[in-house]
Amino acid sequence: MTASVTPAATPDPADPAETGSPAAEAADMATPAPQDMPIDVPTSSVEVVEATDNLIAGVGEKSETAGAVLQSLQTFAFELGNFRISLLDVVLVIGVITLVITAAWAATRISRSLIRRISQFDSTQKLLAEKLSTIAIWALAFLIGIDLLGIDLTALAFFGGAFGLAIGFGLQKTFGNLISGILLLLDKSIKPGDVISVTDQAGNEAVGQIRKIGIRAISVITRDQTEHLIPNENLMINQVVNWSYSSRDVRVKAPVGVSYDSDLELVTRLLYQSVADTKRVLKNPKPRVNIMEFGDNSVNFEVRFWIQDPEGGIANIRSDVYMRIWQLFKEHEIEIPFPQRDLHLRSSKQLDQLVELMAAGKLSRD
């Protein structure tokens, strides 16, 4: 019986892949393991106005020539950071801004005409509604313009810091005046047509009528047709004299002095007659004549009367009353005194000599 023996396979000493062998370990140490190498990926510029691509594609489908022209405009561009702005972007932005501003202006005019036709609103409510509708229309126009242009809002973040500083420092008063104007219209403390006291830079006080309340300031016209522009914020934080806030009736005072030899009852009747003969003076509330004091040179009266149109002027109506008083006093021989002083000189030797010399000189000249 014969038995066959198969020899066992011996490992190849030159094979470095054999695990556990010194040769395999040396091969592993000699050959470095592959590592991930950084790959430079080119960063593409971001189009600020995304609507240009849609415009080129849409026009190119209709006309190849127009599409080629738009494509050539698209090639002229400059880069600002990662943002790319082309000549076509500029043209498209100008066109959309013009269209949006025109549409917003027309919508504002239409809204104002519609609001003014609402009979349930008074003048103050109509003005407030006009201001709010104007702000809403222009805010909506801005959002529509952004949507039409397809502007990447991340591009606006580039200007966010500067714009925030501008609002914080430069536009702080503007927004304050805007809010103050809206609050004034809400509480109706100041409204168009009111008569208020205005003080100029020299400290002279004048009475003027409010013509309009704007976004930044109110316009006040005085009797000499001087138009004062007062910031809305000043009316919120400073004291304001409103002559027609709750009522348009205004009382005017006219002081008068007569001599002690006058008939005071006759003077009183003449003063009442003077205001009764003057136009613009109201019959009700009734005028009032008061004796205020016995002064050094006169008996002092004060005529108090009412008018309903302070925008017509205060000084001129007082002047008309004074003119009528002067005429009536002349007719009835009522004297209006003026200050008089008596001078008393004490006798002395030097004064007597001076008088003698003056008399001698006078006699010699005669």
Side-chain angles (χ1 to χ4, degrees):
M1 185 174 180
T2 304
S4 60
V5 179
T6 303
T10 60
D12 189 0
D15 188 4
E18 184 69 23
T19 59
S21 63
E25 294 179 358
D28 293 338
M29 295 176 63
T31 304
Q35 298 178 358
D36 295 335
M37 300 298 294
I39 301 176
D40 295 334
V41 180
T43 58
S44 58
S45 300
V46 179
E47 290 288 343
V48 176
V49 182
E50 299 177 355
T52 53
D53 296 334
N54 299 330
L55 179 64
I56 294 174
V59 174
E61 294 178 356
K62 303 295 182 180
S63 173
E64 295 182 357
T65 304
V69 172
L70 296 180
Q71 189 64 40
S72 63
L73 294 177
Q74 181 72 358
T75 56
F76 295 98
F78 66 93
E79 294 186 359
L80 184 63
N82 294 331
F83 302 103
R84 181 177 182 275
I85 302 175
S86 65
L87 181 59
L88 182 59
D89 295 338
V90 176
V91 174
L92 184 60
V93 168
I94 294 175
V96 171
I97 289 177
T98 303
L99 177 62
V100 169
I101 290 178
T102 304
W105 178 80
T108 302
R109 296 291 298 272
I110 294 174
S111 66
R112 287 181 179 176
S113 61
L114 294 177
I115 291 173
R116 291 173 183 175
R117 295 178 183 177
I118 301 177
S119 58
Q120 290 81 3
F121 288 176
D122 57 17
S123 60
T124 305
Q125 292 173 339
K126 290 180 181 180
L127 182 58
L128 178 60
E130 289 178 7
K131 299 296 181 185
L132 296 179
S133 64
T134 301
I135 295 174
I137 289 173
W138 284 102
L140 182 62
F142 175 78
L143 296 178
I144 291 176
I146 294 294
D147 184 67
L148 290 177
L149 293 174
I151 295 179
D152 186 7
L153 295 181
T154 58
L156 299 179
F158 180 80
F159 305 97
F163 186 71
L165 291 177
I167 292 178
F169 293 98
L171 301 180
Q172 181 180 5
K173 291 294 184 180
T174 301
F175 281 95
N177 289 323
L178 174 61
I179 301 301
S180 298
I182 294 176
L183 293 177
L184 289 174
L185 292 174
L186 284 175
D187 63 6
K188 299 181 181 181
S189 58
I190 298 293
K191 56 185 180 296
D194 284 353
V195 179
I196 64 174
S197 296
V198 180
T199 304
D200 58 14
Q201 295 181 352
N204 300 321
E205 186 178 16
V207 178
Q209 185 176 25
I210 298 177
R211 187 174 65 89
K212 70 174 182 178
I213 299 179
I215 295 178
R216 188 190 67 85
I218 69 169
S219 173
V220 180
I221 299 180
T222 59
R223 289 289 299 168
D224 56 0
Q225 296 303 310
T226 301
E227 189 166 1
H228 297 259
L229 297 179
I230 305 175
N232 297 330
E233 194 174 13
N234 290 359
L235 299 178
M236 291 289 297
I237 62 178
N238 297 330
Q239 181 178 354
V240 179
V241 179
N242 191 341
W243 293 71
S244 55
Y245 176 60
S246 58
S247 174
R248 297 187 62 83
D249 294 346
V250 177
R251 189 173 69 173
V252 184
K253 300 177 182 180
V256 180
V258 297
S259 66
Y260 280 94
D261 297 333
S262 302
D263 185 353
L264 299 187
E265 294 183 357
L266 176 60
V267 170
T268 303
R269 291 198 302 269
L270 294 179
L271 292 178
Y272 275 116
Q273 183 179 350
S274 65
V275 294
D277 296 343
T278 305
K279 296 180 180 180
R280 292 180 58 197
V281 176
L282 298 178
K283 306 299 181 182
N284 189 20
K286 296 181 179 180
R288 176 69 182 176
V289 176
N290 294 331
I291 297 179
M292 304 303 295
E293 64 176 350
F294 296 104
D296 296 335
N297 305 294
S298 63
V299 180
N300 296 325
F301 286 80
E302 187 174 73
V303 185
R304 301 177 180 179
F305 55 91
W306 295 82
I307 61 174
Q308 201 173 25
D309 52 350
E311 66 276 4
I314 305 297
N316 53 4
I317 185 63
R318 186 184 289 113
S319 174
D320 294 340
V321 171
Y322 276 142
M323 181 60 68
R324 185 56 182 158
I325 291 174
W326 176 266
Q327 294 172 357
L328 293 175
F329 281 6
K330 281 291 186 180
E331 293 176 3
H332 296 82
E333 299 180 352
I334 302 297
E335 180 184 357
I336 299 178
F338 53 89
Q340 298 181 4
R341 295 292 183 268
D342 294 331
L343 182 61
H344 298 277
L345 298 177
R346 297 180 59 183
S347 179
S348 64
K349 182 177 180 180
Q350 292 82 1
L351 181 60
D352 295 340
Q353 292 176 355
L354 179 60
V355 172
E356 292 176 358
L357 291 175
M358 293 176 62
K362 181 179 180 182
L363 294 175
S364 62
R365 286 196 300 269
D366 293 341

